[in-house]
Coordinates of all heavy atoms in Angstrom, one line a residue:
M1322 N -53.4 271.7 78.8 CA -51.9 272.0 79.1 C -51.2 272.3 77.8 O -51.3 271.7 76.8 CB -51.4 270.6 79.6 CG -50.0 270.8 80.0 SD -49.4 269.4 81.2 CE -49.4 268.0 80.0
S1323 N -50.6 273.4 78.0 CA -50.0 273.9 76.7 C -48.4 273.5 76.6 O -47.8 273.6 77.7 CB -50.0 275.5 76.7 OG -49.1 276.0 75.7
R1324 N -48.1 273.0 75.5 CA -46.7 272.7 75.4 C -46.1 273.5 74.4 O -44.9 273.3 73.9 CB -46.6 271.2 74.8 CG -47.0 270.3 75.9 CD -46.9 268.9 75.3 NE -46.8 267.9 76.5 CZ -46.7 266.6 76.2 NH1 -46.7 266.2 75.0 NH2 -46.6 265.7 77.1
G1325 N -46.7 274.6 73.9 CA -46.2 275.6 73.1 C -46.1 275.3 71.7 O -45.3 275.8 70.9
F1326 N -46.9 274.3 71.3 CA -46.9 274.0 69.8 C -47.3 275.0 69.0 O -46.8 275.3 67.9 CB -47.9 272.7 69.6 CG -47.3 271.4 70.1 CD1 -48.0 270.5 70.8 CD2 -45.8 271.1 69.9 CE1 -47.5 269.3 71.3 CE2 -45.4 269.9 70.4 CZ -46.1 269.1 71.1
R1327 N -48.3 275.8 69.3 CA -48.8 276.9 68.5 C -47.7 277.9 68.3 O -47.5 278.4 67.2 CB -50.0 277.6 69.2 CG -51.1 276.6 69.1 CD -52.5 277.4 68.9 NE -53.5 276.4 68.8 CZ -54.7 276.4 69.4 NH1 -55.1 277.4 70.1 NH2 -55.7 275.4 69.1
D1328 N -47.0 278.4 69.3 CA -46.0 279.2 69.2 C -45.0 278.8 68.3 O -44.5 279.5 67.5 CB -45.3 279.5 70.6 CG -46.2 280.3 71.5 OD1 -47.2 280.9 71.0 OD2 -45.9 280.5 72.7
E1329 N -44.6 277.5 68.3 CA -43.7 276.9 67.4 C -44.1 277.1 66.0 O -43.3 277.4 65.1 CB -43.4 275.5 67.8 CG -42.4 275.3 68.8 CD -42.1 273.8 69.3 OE1 -42.4 273.0 68.4 OE2 -41.8 273.7 70.4
D1330 N -45.4 276.9 65.8 CA -46.0 276.9 64.4 C -45.8 278.4 63.8 O -45.4 278.6 62.7 CB -47.5 276.6 64.3 CG -47.6 275.0 64.5 OD1 -46.6 274.4 64.4 OD2 -48.8 274.7 64.6
V1331 N -46.1 279.3 64.6 CA -46.0 280.7 64.2 C -44.5 281.0 64.0 O -44.2 281.7 63.0 CB -46.5 281.7 65.4 CG1 -46.2 283.2 65.1 CG2 -48.0 281.6 65.5
T1332 N -43.7 280.6 64.9 CA -42.2 280.8 64.7 C -41.8 280.2 63.4 O -41.1 280.8 62.6 CB -41.5 280.2 65.9 OG1 -41.9 280.8 67.0 CG2 -39.9 280.7 65.7
Q1333 N -42.3 279.0 63.2 CA -41.9 278.3 61.8 C -42.3 279.1 60.7 O -41.6 279.2 59.6 CB -42.5 276.9 61.9 CG -42.0 276.1 60.8 CD -40.5 275.8 60.9 OE1 -39.9 275.5 61.8 NE2 -39.8 276.0 59.7
A1334 N -43.5 279.5 60.7 CA -44.1 280.4 59.5 C -43.2 281.5 59.2 O -43.0 282.0 58.1 CB -45.6 280.6 59.8
M1335 N -42.9 282.2 60.4 CA -42.1 283.5 60.2 C -40.7 283.1 59.6 O -40.2 283.8 58.9 CB -42.0 284.1 61.6 CG -43.2 284.9 61.9 SD -43.3 285.5 63.7 CE -41.8 286.6 63.5
T1336 N -40.3 282.0 60.1 CA -38.8 281.6 59.7 C -38.9 281.2 58.2 O -38.0 281.6 57.5 CB -38.5 280.4 60.5 OG1 -38.5 280.7 61.9 CG2 -36.9 280.0 60.2
D1337 N -40.0 280.5 57.8 CA -40.1 280.2 56.4 C -40.1 281.4 55.5 O -39.4 281.5 54.5 CB -41.4 279.3 56.1 CG -41.2 277.9 56.7 OD1 -40.1 277.5 57.0 OD2 -42.3 277.2 56.8
K1338 N -40.9 282.4 55.9 CA -41.0 283.6 55.1 C -39.5 284.3 55.0 O -39.2 284.7 54.0 CB -41.9 284.6 55.8 CG -42.0 286.0 55.3 CD -42.8 286.1 54.0 CE -43.0 287.6 53.6 NZ -41.8 288.1 52.9
A1339 N -39.0 284.5 56.1 CA -37.6 284.9 56.3 C -36.7 284.2 55.3 O -35.8 284.9 54.7 CB -37.2 285.1 57.7
M1340 N -36.8 282.9 55.5 CA -35.9 282.1 54.6 C -36.1 282.4 53.2 O -35.2 282.5 52.5 CB -36.2 280.6 54.9 CG -35.1 279.6 54.6 SD -33.8 279.8 55.7 CE -34.3 278.6 56.9
A1341 N -37.4 282.5 52.7 CA -37.7 282.7 51.3 C -37.0 284.1 50.9 O -36.5 284.2 49.8 CB -39.2 282.7 51.1
D1342 N -37.1 285.1 51.7 CA -36.7 286.3 51.4 C -35.2 286.2 51.3 O -34.5 286.9 50.5 CB -37.0 287.3 52.5 CG -38.5 287.7 52.5 OD1 -39.1 287.5 51.4 OD2 -38.9 288.4 53.3
T1343 N -34.5 285.6 52.3 CA -33.1 285.4 52.3 C -32.6 284.7 51.0 O -31.7 285.1 50.5 CB -32.6 284.7 53.6 OG1 -33.2 285.3 54.7 CG2 -31.1 284.6 53.7
V1344 N -33.2 283.6 50.7 CA -32.9 282.7 49.6 C -32.9 283.6 48.3 O -31.9 283.6 47.6 CB -33.7 281.6 49.4 CG1 -33.5 280.9 48.0 CG2 -33.5 280.6 50.6
S1345 N -33.8 284.4 48.1 CA -33.9 285.2 46.9 C -32.9 286.3 46.8 O -32.2 286.5 45.8 CB -35.4 285.8 46.6 OG -35.6 286.8 47.5
R1346 N -32.5 286.8 48.0 CA -31.5 287.9 48.1 C -30.1 287.2 48.0 O -29.3 287.7 47.3 CB -31.6 288.6 49.5 CG -31.0 290.0 49.4 CD -31.2 290.7 50.7 NE -31.1 289.9 51.9 CZ -31.4 290.3 53.1 NH1 -31.8 291.6 53.2 NH2 -31.2 289.6 54.1
V1347 N -30.0 286.0 48.5 CA -28.7 285.3 48.3 C -28.5 284.9 46.9 O -27.4 285.0 46.4 CB -28.7 284.0 49.2 CG1 -27.6 283.0 48.9 CG2 -28.6 284.5 50.7
L1348 N -29.5 284.5 46.2 CA -29.5 284.1 44.7 C -28.9 285.2 44.0 O -28.0 285.2 43.1 CB -30.7 283.5 44.3 CG -31.1 282.1 44.7 CD1 -32.4 281.7 44.1 CD2 -30.0 281.2 44.4
E1349 N -29.5 286.4 44.3 CA -29.0 287.6 43.6 C -27.6 288.0 43.8 O -26.8 288.3 42.9 CB -29.9 288.8 44.1 CG -30.8 289.5 43.0 CD -31.7 290.5 43.7 OE1 -31.2 291.4 44.3 OE2 -32.9 290.3 43.8
Q1350 N -27.2 287.9 45.1 CA -25.9 288.3 45.4 C -24.9 287.2 44.9 O -23.7 287.5 44.5 CB -25.8 288.2 47.0 CG -26.3 289.4 47.6 CD -26.3 289.5 49.2 OE1 -25.8 288.4 49.7 NE2 -26.7 290.5 49.8
E1351 N -25.3 285.9 44.7 CA -24.5 284.9 44.3 C -24.1 285.2 42.7 O -23.0 285.0 42.4 CB -25.2 283.5 44.3 CG -24.4 282.8 45.5 CD -25.2 281.4 45.7 OE1 -25.8 280.9 44.8 OE2 -25.2 281.0 46.9
A1352 N -25.2 285.6 42.0 CA -25.0 285.9 40.6 C -24.0 287.1 40.5 O -23.0 287.0 39.6 CB -26.3 286.2 39.9
E1353 N -24.2 288.1 41.3 CA -23.2 289.1 41.4 C -21.8 288.7 41.7 O -20.8 289.1 41.1 CB -23.8 290.2 42.3 CG -23.3 291.5 42.2 CD -24.0 292.4 43.2 OE1 -25.2 292.4 43.4 OE2 -23.1 293.1 43.9
Q1354 N -21.8 287.9 42.7 CA -20.6 287.4 43.3 C -19.7 286.5 42.2 O -18.6 286.7 42.1 CB -20.9 286.6 44.5 CG -19.5 286.2 45.2 CD -18.7 287.4 45.8 OE1 -19.4 288.4 46.0 NE2 -17.5 287.3 45.9
E1355 N -20.6 285.8 41.4 CA -19.9 284.9 40.4 C -19.3 285.8 39.3 O -18.2 285.4 38.9 CB -21.0 284.0 39.8 CG -20.6 282.6 39.8 CD -21.8 281.8 39.3 OE1 -22.0 281.5 38.1 OE2 -22.5 281.2 40.2
A1356 N -20.0 286.8 39.0 CA -19.4 287.7 37.9 C -18.1 288.4 38.4 O -17.1 288.5 37.6 CB -20.5 288.8 37.5
R1357 N -18.2 288.7 39.6 CA -17.0 289.4 40.2 C -15.8 288.5 40.4 O -14.8 288.9 40.1 CB -17.3 290.1 41.6 CG -16.2 290.9 42.0 CD -16.7 291.9 43.1 NE -17.5 291.3 44.1 CZ -18.3 291.9 45.0 NH1 -18.3 293.2 44.9 NH2 -18.9 291.3 45.8
S1358 N -16.1 287.3 40.8 CA -15.0 286.3 41.0 C -14.4 285.9 39.5 O -13.2 285.8 39.3 CB -15.4 285.1 41.7 OG -16.0 284.2 40.9
A1359 N -15.3 285.9 38.6 CA -14.7 285.6 37.1 C -13.9 286.8 36.7 O -12.9 286.5 36.0 CB -16.0 285.4 36.2
D1360 N -14.4 287.9 37.0 CA -13.5 289.1 36.6 C -12.2 289.0 37.3 O -11.2 289.4 36.7 CB -14.4 290.3 37.0 CG -13.7 291.6 36.5 OD1 -13.6 291.8 35.3 OD2 -13.3 292.5 37.4
R1361 N -12.2 288.7 38.6 CA -11.0 288.7 39.3 C -9.9 287.6 38.8 O -8.8 287.7 38.8 CB -11.3 288.6 40.8 CG -11.7 289.8 41.5 CD -12.1 289.5 42.9 NE -10.9 289.3 43.7 CZ -10.1 290.2 44.2 NH1 -10.2 291.5 43.8 NH2 -9.1 289.9 44.9
R1362 N -10.6 286.5 38.5 CA -9.8 285.5 37.9 C -9.1 285.9 36.6 O -8.0 285.6 36.4 CB -10.7 284.2 37.6 CG -10.6 283.1 38.7 CD -11.1 281.8 38.2 NE -12.6 281.8 37.7 CZ -13.5 281.7 38.5 NH1 -13.4 281.6 39.8 NH2 -14.8 281.8 38.1
Q1363 N -9.9 286.6 35.8 CA -9.3 287.1 34.5 C -8.1 288.0 34.9 O -7.1 288.1 34.0 CB -10.4 287.9 33.8 CG -11.0 287.0 32.7 CD -12.1 288.0 31.9 OE1 -12.3 289.1 32.2 NE2 -12.6 287.3 30.8
H1364 N -8.2 288.7 36.0 CA -7.0 289.7 36.2 C -6.0 289.0 37.1 O -5.2 289.7 37.7 CB -7.5 290.9 36.9 CG -8.4 291.8 35.9 ND1 -9.8 291.5 35.8 CD2 -8.1 292.7 35.1 CE1 -10.2 292.5 34.8 NE2 -9.2 293.1 34.4
G1365 N -6.1 287.7 37.3 CA -5.1 287.0 38.1 C -5.3 287.4 39.5 O -4.2 287.2 40.2
E1366 N -6.3 287.9 40.0 CA -6.5 288.3 41.4 C -7.2 287.3 42.3 O -7.4 287.6 43.6 CB -7.2 289.7 41.5 CG -6.3 290.8 41.0 CD -7.0 292.1 40.7 OE1 -8.3 291.9 40.5 OE2 -6.4 293.1 40.8
A1367 N -7.8 286.2 41.7 CA -8.4 285.3 42.4 C -7.6 284.6 43.5 O -6.4 284.5 43.3 CB -9.0 284.1 41.6
G1368 N -8.1 284.3 44.8 CA -7.2 283.7 45.7 C -6.8 284.7 46.8 O -6.3 284.3 47.8
S1369 N -7.0 286.1 46.4 CA -6.6 287.0 47.4 C -7.7 287.9 47.8 O -8.6 288.1 47.0 CB -5.4 287.9 47.0 OG -5.7 288.6 46.0
C1370 N -7.9 288.2 49.0 CA -9.0 289.0 49.5 C -9.1 290.3 48.8 O -8.1 291.1 48.9 CB -8.9 289.0 51.1 SG -10.2 290.2 51.7
E1371 N -10.2 290.7 48.2 CA -10.4 292.0 47.6 C -10.3 293.1 48.6 O -10.4 294.3 48.2 CB -11.7 292.1 46.8 CG -12.9 292.1 47.5 CD -14.1 292.2 46.5 OE1 -14.0 293.1 45.6 OE2 -15.1 291.4 46.6
D1372 N -10.6 292.9 49.9 CA -10.7 293.9 50.9 C -9.2 294.1 51.5 O -8.7 295.3 51.6 CB -11.6 293.7 52.0 CG -13.0 293.9 51.5 OD1 -13.1 294.5 50.3 OD2 -14.0 293.8 52.2
C1373 N -8.6 293.1 52.1 CA -7.4 293.2 52.8 C -6.2 292.6 52.0 O -5.0 292.9 52.4 CB -7.4 292.5 54.1 SG -7.5 290.7 54.1
G1374 N -6.4 291.9 50.8 CA -5.3 291.5 50.0 C -4.6 290.3 50.5 O -3.8 289.8 49.8
R1375 N -5.1 289.7 51.6 CA -4.4 288.5 52.1 C -5.0 287.3 51.4 O -6.1 287.4 50.8 CB -4.7 288.3 53.6 CG -3.8 289.3 54.5 CD -4.0 289.0 55.9 NE -3.9 290.2 56.7 CZ -4.4 290.4 57.9 NH1 -5.1 289.5 58.4 NH2 -4.2 291.6 58.5
P1376 N -4.3 286.3 51.4 CA -4.7 285.0 50.7 C -6.1 284.5 51.3 O -6.3 284.6 52.6 CB -3.6 283.9 51.0 CG -2.4 284.7 51.4 CD -2.8 286.0 52.0
I1377 N -7.1 284.1 50.5 CA -8.3 283.8 51.0 C -8.3 282.4 51.7 O -9.0 282.1 52.7 CB -9.5 283.7 49.9 CG1 -9.7 285.2 49.4 CG2 -10.6 283.1 50.3 CD1 -10.5 285.2 48.1
G1378 N -7.4 281.5 51.2 CA -7.2 280.2 51.8 C -7.9 279.2 51.0 O -9.1 279.3 50.5
A1379 N -7.0 278.1 50.7 CA -7.5 277.0 49.7 C -8.6 276.4 50.1 O -9.5 276.0 49.3 CB -6.4 276.2 49.5
E1380 N -8.8 276.2 51.5 CA -10.1 275.5 51.9 C -11.3 276.3 51.7 O -12.3 275.7 51.2 CB -9.8 275.3 53.5 CG -10.0 273.9 53.9 CD -9.6 273.7 55.4 OE1 -10.5 274.2 56.2 OE2 -8.6 273.3 55.8
R1381 N -11.2 277.5 51.9 CA -12.3 278.4 51.8 C -12.7 278.5 50.2 O -13.9 278.5 49.8 CB -12.1 279.8 52.3 CG -13.2 280.8 52.0 CD -13.1 282.1 52.9 NE -13.9 283.1 52.4 CZ -15.2 283.2 52.6 NH1 -15.8 282.2 53.1 NH2 -15.9 284.2 52.1
L1382 N -11.7 278.5 49.3 CA -11.9 278.6 47.9 C -12.5 277.2 47.4 O -13.3 277.3 46.5 CB -10.6 278.9 47.2 CG -10.2 280.4 47.2 CD1 -8.9 280.6 46.6 CD2 -11.3 281.3 46.5
A1383 N -12.1 276.2 48.1 CA -12.6 275.0 47.5 C -14.0 274.8 48.0 O -14.8 274.3 47.2 CB -11.8 273.8 48.3
A1384 N -14.5 275.4 49.2 CA -15.9 275.2 49.5 C -16.7 276.3 48.8 O -17.8 276.0 48.6 CB -15.9 275.5 51.0
L1385 N -16.2 277.4 48.6 CA -16.7 278.5 48.0 C -15.8 279.1 46.8 O -15.3 280.2 47.2 CB -17.2 279.5 49.1 CG -18.3 280.5 48.9 CD1 -19.7 279.6 48.8 CD2 -18.5 281.3 50.0
P1386 N -15.9 278.5 45.6 CA -15.0 279.1 44.6 C -15.2 280.4 44.2 O -14.2 281.0 43.7 CB -15.3 278.1 43.4 CG -16.0 276.9 44.0 CD -16.8 277.4 45.2
T1387 N -16.4 281.0 44.5 CA -16.5 282.4 44.1 C -16.2 283.4 45.2 O -16.4 284.7 45.0 CB -18.1 282.6 43.7 OG1 -19.0 282.3 44.7 CG2 -18.5 281.7 42.5
S1388 N -15.6 282.9 46.2 CA -15.1 283.9 47.2 C -14.1 284.9 46.8 O -13.3 284.5 46.0 CB -14.5 283.1 48.4 OG -15.2 282.1 48.8
T1389 N -14.4 286.2 47.1 CA -13.4 287.2 46.7 C -13.0 287.9 48.1 O -12.2 288.9 47.9 CB -14.2 288.2 45.7 OG1 -15.4 288.7 46.4 CG2 -14.4 287.6 44.4
R1390 N -13.4 287.4 49.2 CA -12.9 288.1 50.4 C -12.5 286.8 51.4 O -13.2 285.8 51.3 CB -14.1 288.8 51.1 CG -14.4 290.1 50.4 CD -15.4 290.8 51.2 NE -15.9 292.0 50.4 CZ -16.7 292.0 49.5 NH1 -17.4 291.0 49.3 NH2 -17.2 293.1 49.1
C1391 N -11.6 287.2 52.3 CA -11.4 286.1 53.3 C -12.4 286.1 54.3 O -13.4 286.9 54.2 CB -10.0 286.6 54.0 SG -10.1 288.1 55.0
V1392 N -12.5 285.1 55.1 CA -13.6 284.9 56.0 C -13.8 286.1 56.8 O -15.0 286.6 57.1 CB -13.2 283.7 57.0 CG1 -14.3 283.5 58.0 CG2 -13.1 282.4 56.2
R1393 N -12.8 286.8 57.3 CA -13.0 288.0 58.3 C -13.7 289.1 57.5 O -14.6 289.7 58.1 CB -11.7 288.3 58.9 CG -12.0 289.2 60.1 CD -10.5 289.7 60.7 NE -9.7 288.6 60.8 CZ -8.3 288.9 61.3 NH1 -7.9 290.1 61.4 NH2 -7.6 287.9 61.4
C1394 N -13.1 289.4 56.4 CA -13.7 290.6 55.6 C -15.2 290.3 55.0 O -16.0 291.1 55.0 CB -12.7 290.9 54.3 SG -11.2 291.4 54.9
Q1395 N -15.4 288.9 54.7 CA -16.7 288.5 54.3 C -17.7 288.8 55.4 O -18.8 289.3 55.1 CB -16.7 287.1 53.8 CG -18.0 286.6 53.3 CD -18.4 287.3 52.0 OE1 -17.5 287.6 51.1 NE2 -19.6 287.7 51.9
S1396 N -17.3 288.3 56.6 CA -18.4 288.5 57.6 C -18.5 290.0 58.0 O -19.7 290.4 58.3 CB -18.0 287.7 58.9 OG -16.9 288.3 59.6
A1397 N -17.5 290.9 57.9 CA -17.6 292.2 58.0 C -18.5 292.9 57.0 O -19.4 293.7 57.2 CB -16.3 292.8 58.1
W1398 N -18.3 292.3 55.8 CA -19.1 292.9 54.7 C -20.5 292.4 54.8 O -21.5 293.2 54.6 CB -18.6 292.3 53.3 CG -19.4 292.8 52.2 CD1 -19.0 293.9 51.5 CD2 -20.4 292.2 51.4 NE1 -19.8 294.0 50.3 CE2 -20.8 292.9 50.4 CE3 -21.2 291.0 51.7 CZ2 -21.8 292.6 49.5 CZ3 -22.2 290.7 50.9 CH2 -22.6 291.5 49.8
E1399 N -20.8 291.2 55.3 CA -22.2 290.8 55.5 C -22.9 291.6 56.5 O -24.1 291.9 56.5 CB -22.2 289.2 55.9 CG -22.1 288.4 54.5 CD -21.9 287.0 54.7 OE1 -22.0 286.5 55.9 OE2 -21.6 286.3 53.8
Q1400 N -22.1 291.9 57.6 CA -22.8 292.7 58.7 C -23.2 294.1 58.2 O -24.2 294.6 58.4 CB -21.7 292.9 59.8 CG -21.3 291.8 60.5 CD -22.2 291.4 61.8 OE1 -22.8 292.3 62.2 NE2 -22.3 290.1 62.1
A1401 N -22.3 294.6 57.3 CA -22.6 295.9 56.8 C -23.7 296.0 55.6 O -24.3 297.0 55.4 CB -21.3 296.5 56.2
N1402 N -23.9 294.8 55.0 CA -24.8 294.8 53.9 C -26.2 294.1 54.3 O -26.9 293.6 53.4 CB -24.2 294.2 52.7 CG -23.2 295.1 52.1 OD1 -23.5 295.9 51.3 ND2 -22.0 295.0 52.5
R1403 N -26.3 293.8 55.6 CA -27.6 293.0 55.8 C -28.9 293.8 55.6 O -28.9 295.0 55.8 CB -27.5 292.7 57.4 CG -28.5 291.7 57.7 CD -28.0 291.1 59.1 NE -26.8 290.3 59.0 CZ -26.2 289.6 59.9 NH1 -26.6 289.9 61.2 NH2 -25.2 288.9 59.7
Ligands
ZN383 ZN1 -9.8 290.1 53.9

């Protein structure tokens, strides 16, 4: 009687590999993002979205201090840069 454990193992292995790839890419992007947010802070532009210019939101900045885009622009950017 199969309960699909093997399929789950394969799926898990693929997920782990994808996760490792994603993590290394995310770390790269984070370093880039940190440099950019520091640059924006220097120019007094932190807190507003670099794409639409609207306030990013204190909550988002508290959770992710290096944010340079609002939630909407960030998800659009992530879609475009996947
Ligand atoms: Zn925006």
Side-chain angles (χ1 to χ4, degrees):
M1322 188 162 69
S1323 168
R1324 286 178 161 180
F1326 286 137
R1327 290 211 174 140
D1328 284 350
E1329 274 176 32
D1330 286 348
V1331 170
T1332 306
Q1333 186 60 48
M1335 284 169 62
T1336 307
D1337 287 349
K1338 168 85 171 75
M1340 197 73 90
D1342 287 350
T1343 305
V1344 166
S1345 66
R1346 205 168 41 181
V1347 163
L1348 287 177
E1349 247 173 63
Q1350 284 178 357
E1351 253 172 31
E1353 204 182 304
Q1354 186 64 28
E1355 228 173 88
R1357 188 159 45 192
S1358 84
D1360 188 58
R1361 286 175 64 78
R1362 260 197 302 275
Q1363 264 185 353
H1364 292 87
E1366 289 167 335
S1369 63
C1370 173
E1371 68 175 311
D1372 283 357
C1373 71
R1375 285 187 209 155
I1377 292 173
E1380 236 173 75
R1381 177 165 165 74
L1382 281 174
L1385 204 64
T1387 59
S1388 306
T1389 53
R1390 290 182 183 87
C1391 68
V1392 176
R1393 202 184 305 174
C1394 294
Q1395 184 64 38
S1396 74
W1398 183 87
E1399 278 168 11
Q1400 295 274 334
N1402 289 276
R1403 194 163 289 174

